[in-house]
Amino acid sequence: MLDEKKTARLEARLPAEVHTLLKEAADLQGRSLSDFVVASAREAAEEAIARSNEIRLTQAEQKRFAEAILNPPPVAPALRKAMKNRERLLDLA
């Protein structure tokens, strides 16, 4: 049985100068234009997804975050009450 990978087609209109640029870059790498575009698009997509999963903080924000973890504020009475109600409602007591 053949192990075929499913493929999908992507078409795009682009300015002639961009097409020329992509073709030149593909040629320099010894790749087809399609292979170059797919590899480049995949790399850009993976990078965009990875960046969206990062949390970047300034140095001041990092300090505030660390301070909040090391010295958290006291639990508010309303939260204590909610936790007790949760225990009662879920029969956790």
Side-chain angles (χ1 to χ4, degrees), residues 1 5 10-11 22 30 33-34 48 51 53 59 73 75 80:
M1 190 157 104
K5 292 184 180 180
L10 173 68
E11 294 184 35
L22 294 173
L33 179 57
S34 291
R51 265 187 281 145
N53 292 327
Q59 202 167 29
V75 177
R80 284 193 195 281

Side-chain angles (χ1 to χ4, degrees), residues 1-54:
M1 190 157 104
L2 293 176
D3 185 53
E4 294 182 22
K5 292 184 180 180
K6 289 187 177 184
T7 62
R9 186 167 187 83
L10 173 68
E11 294 184 35
R13 295 251 178 233
L14 55 142
E17 62 270 11
V18 173
H19 182 270
T20 301
L21 182 68
L22 294 173
K23 181 73 174 117
E24 182 179 346
D27 289 343
L28 286 170
Q29 292 187 359
R31 299 169 129 176
S32 70
L33 179 57
S34 291
D35 184 47
F36 178 81
V37 169
V38 168
S40 298
R42 181 183 181 127
E43 184 180 317
E46 288 172 348
E47 185 178 318
I49 291 167
R51 265 187 281 145
S52 76
N53 292 327
E54 290 178 2

